[in-house]
């Protein structure tokens, strides 16, 4: 047809046009609801069902979604043929359900089954918005519950793709009960030590948001997906005002701490593969998968030894070390993560209020072993300093850290913490959200976590803000890092009414690595090059790797109770 030339793939600049579609074959064209452009359906399909003009996401049918994420020919449908009842005797309901079955080829609004992703076995459920907006009635709830129960029995992860308008009005209270049913099934799955990944797509609202969609160990979302309990129109009618742009979208939820990551559709399969692989279950000790790398070339070793000799010849005062710990070009936590770990996947949010960027954390691989990594992050420059609040966490940051530690305990992953903070953030909003409670809760809960915890001080270690990341089996320090009850300036102001005596206070406080080693507050000290920055970081990380190997091996044969007792006795001796 003549108009087809307008969609020539060589022409990358799509334009909005008016087309007489009366003679156009069905299915040839698609209209983007985001920008109203008419585009070739084939182009949409080949672009992961994303508008080639504006980048807007089309909704994806269940079986196409499955095809996009699972290994080829691995999906086996399960729990089909369940009968949809009409508990309210709603006129026309059965006919409407049957009509949708005939039109979509689906038996209900969710497709369930078993598959593999990257070779990892999973149980999977995918909602399809074509079927009564994927509202959750009895059959949807039953299929999801059965899928989760199957995953629990088989000891495998479950992945649910949510896309729903919420509870199914035509089934009344029977629909409401599905929220409790699916949540209870997921609780049993969780307590058996299994992984649940929830993937939120547009839209995820109502009773689905208030049940299985928000209960994932890991919650992913597509960009700009509408996610919320009450719909936008309901909220606007209730409060009598317009909602701000972006409200209830994925990006809003990420900022407010409710989802772990926004993943582009083209990246989702790879992201799921990485997460599943890092959660793969076996009967081995977590160190049995170690792949300890051999020493690098002799030339590299000699280079490190020459740097070491320079280091050992330098003597510094306590105040010199305080200043060194604060240097702008000093490596920050993310630099250590980049060099020490593979496959780091950052998770966001405390699940309550906010994603505090002063603390970053997630899962990674260390010599083939899954670990949880949590770090206080300052940033490299002024822009990053402001984004990360200069490494001063709010209560939300400490709650995020604790959430990740509890997750590590569930999946039997060691926890590696990097400490670098002037102290916990002091501000009005921090007090309003319970800064003291958040720090206290970390101390309380960390003392009983049944996996090894290692805390490494790489810069400043300010008071309770640092301790809330350092209730560990062992605490290590770089030689120019510091750890103290208060900043030297604050200490001098309190004791001597003169903040200018900070250098004197630094000596009196015994805050250096050497001082704290003598006080038995820490276990190990790591030397630094004189010019310590990202270009010389490898000198330190190579030694850290070797010592971390030994730490993890030494803890691998301890039971959870023995790990907890070791940590308790460590602090009990102080």
């Amino acid at each position: 047809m003549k108009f087809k030339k307008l969609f020539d793939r060589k022409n990358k600049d799509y334009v909005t046009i008016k087309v007489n579609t009366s003679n156009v074959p069905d299915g040839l064209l698609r209209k983007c609801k985001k920008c109203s452009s008419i585009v070739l359906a084939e182009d949409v399909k080949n672009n992961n069902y994303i508008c080639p003009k504006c980048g807007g996401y089309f909704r994806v049918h269940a079986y196409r979604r499955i095809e996009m994420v699972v290994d080829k020919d691995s999906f086996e449908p399960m729990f089909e043929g369940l009968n949809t009842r009409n508990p309210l005797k709603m006129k026309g309901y059965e006919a409407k359900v049957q009509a949708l079955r005939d039109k979509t080829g689906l038996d209900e609004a969710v497709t369930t089954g078993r598959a593999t992703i990257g070779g990892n076995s999973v149980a999977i459920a995918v909602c399809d918005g074509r079927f009564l907006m994927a509202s959750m009635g009895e059959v949807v709830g039953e299929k999801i519950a059965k899928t989760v129960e199957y995953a629990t029995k088989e000891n495998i992860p479950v992945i649910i793709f949510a896309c729903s308008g919420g509870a199914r009005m035509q089934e009344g209270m029977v629909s409401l009960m599905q929220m409790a049913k699916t949540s209870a099934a997921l609780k049993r799955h969780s307590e058996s030590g299994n992984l649940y990944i929830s993937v939120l797509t547009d839209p995820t609202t109502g009773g689905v948001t208030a049940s299985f969609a928000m209960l994932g160990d890991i919650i992913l979302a597509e960009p700009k997906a509408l996610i919320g309990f009450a719909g936008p129109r309901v909220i606007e009618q209730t409060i009598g005002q317009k909602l701000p742009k972006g409200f209830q979208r994925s990006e809003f939820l990420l900022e407010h701490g409710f989802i772990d990551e926004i993943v582009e559709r083209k990246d989702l399969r790879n992201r799921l593969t990485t997460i599943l692989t890092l959660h793969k279950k076996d009967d081995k000790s977590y160190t049995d998968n170690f792949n300890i790398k051999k020493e690098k070339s002799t030339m590299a070793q000699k280079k490190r030894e020459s740097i070491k000799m320079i280091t050992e010849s330098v003597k510094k005062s306590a105040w010199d070390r305080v200043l060194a710990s604060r240097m702008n070009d000093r490596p920050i936590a993310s630099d250590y993560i980049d060099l020490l770990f593979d496959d780091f996947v950052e998770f966001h949010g405390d699940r309550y209020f906010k994603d505090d960027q002063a603390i970053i954390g997630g899962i990674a691989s260390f010599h083939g072993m899954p670990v949880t990594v949590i770090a206080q992050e300052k940033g490299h420059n002024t822009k990053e300093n402001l984004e990360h609040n200069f490494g001063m966490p709010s209560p939300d940051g400490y709650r995020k850290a604790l959430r990740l530690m509890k997750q590590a305990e569930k999946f039997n992953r060691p926890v590696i913490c990097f400490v670098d903070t002037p102290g916990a953030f002091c501000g009005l909003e921090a007090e309003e959200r319970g800064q003291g409670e958040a720090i206290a809760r970390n101390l309380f809960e960390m003392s009983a976590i049944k996996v090894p915890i290692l805390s490494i001080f790489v810069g400043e270690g300010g008071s309770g803000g640092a301790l809330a990341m350092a209730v560990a089996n062992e605490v290590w320090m770089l030689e120019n890092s510091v750890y103290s009850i208060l900043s030297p300036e604050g200490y001098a102001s309190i004791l001597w009414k003169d903040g200018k005596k900070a250098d004197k206070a630094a000596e009196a406080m015994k805050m250096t690595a050497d001082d704290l080693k003598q006080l038995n507050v820490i276990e190990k000290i790591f030397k630094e090059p004189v010019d310590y920055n990202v270009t010389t970081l490898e000198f330190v990380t190579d030694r850290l790797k070797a010592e971390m190997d030994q730490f993890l091996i030494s803890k691998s044969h301890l039971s959870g109770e023995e790990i907890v007792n070791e940590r308790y006795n460590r602090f009990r001796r102080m």
Side-chain angles (χ1 to χ4, degrees), residues 216-233:
D217 295 297
I218 297 164
I219 302 178
L220 309 178
E222 290 192 327
K224 296 182 173 59
L226 175 66
I227 304 164
F229 177 57
R233 281 181 295 180

Side-chain angles (χ1 to χ4, degrees), residues 56-255:
Y57 277 41
F58 286 81
R59 292 174 187 171
V60 181
H61 300 175
Y63 274 95
R64 289 175 184 167
R65 174 79 70 181
I66 291 166
E67 184 182 72
M68 290 165 69
V69 298
V70 308
D71 298 339
K72 187 176 181 181
D73 299 327
S74 69
F75 179 70
E76 300 172 19
M78 301 171 66
F79 312 120
E80 294 185 312
L82 300 182
N83 183 46
T84 301
R85 298 189 302 140
N86 187 2
L88 302 185
K89 309 300 180 186
M90 186 75 66
K91 185 178 180 180
Y93 180 48
E94 291 103 327
K96 189 169 188 177
V97 168
Q98 187 58 52
L100 285 168
R101 285 174 174 165
D102 295 339
K103 181 179 180 179
T104 64
L106 303 171
D107 70 339
E108 249 291 353
V110 66
T111 299
T112 56
R114 175 171 182 150
T116 61
I117 299 177
N120 300 285
S121 294
V122 298
I124 187 168
V126 182
C127 296
D128 194 317
R130 295 176 297 163
F131 204 108
L132 287 174
M133 207 40 245
S135 54
M136 183 163 61
E138 181 183 13
V139 171
V140 171
E142 186 67 14
K143 290 185 75 171
I144 289 174
K146 282 180 174 292
T147 302
V148 174
E149 289 167 351
Y150 171 80
T152 304
K153 180 181 176 182
E154 295 295 314
N155 215 28
I156 59 175
V158 63
I159 300 175
I160 302 178
F161 285 82
C163 168
S164 178
R168 187 169 295 182
M169 297 297 104
Q170 294 90 335
E171 295 187 22
M173 283 299 294
V174 173
S175 173
L176 190 70
M177 294 302 103
Q178 307 313 307
M179 295 168 62
K181 177 198 289 184
T182 54
S183 300
L186 285 165
K187 177 65 172 176
R188 291 191 172 194
H189 181 262
S190 178
E191 295 202 337
S192 67
N194 286 297
L195 172 69
Y196 167 36
I197 303 173
S198 178
V199 185
L200 311 181
T201 70
D202 182 53
T204 300
T205 59
V208 167
T209 302
S211 57
F212 66 82
M214 298 304 293
L215 294 175
D217 295 297
I218 297 164
I219 302 178
L220 309 178
E222 290 192 327
K224 296 182 173 59
L226 175 66
I227 304 164
F229 177 57
R233 281 181 295 180
V234 174
I235 298 173
E236 288 180 342
Q237 290 169 3
T238 301
I239 66 176
Q241 62 188 60
K242 280 284 186 182
L243 296 174
K245 187 177 180 180
F247 183 76
Q248 289 186 310
R249 295 292 169 177
S250 304
E251 295 73 16
F252 177 88
L253 268 75
L254 183 70
E255 180 184 348

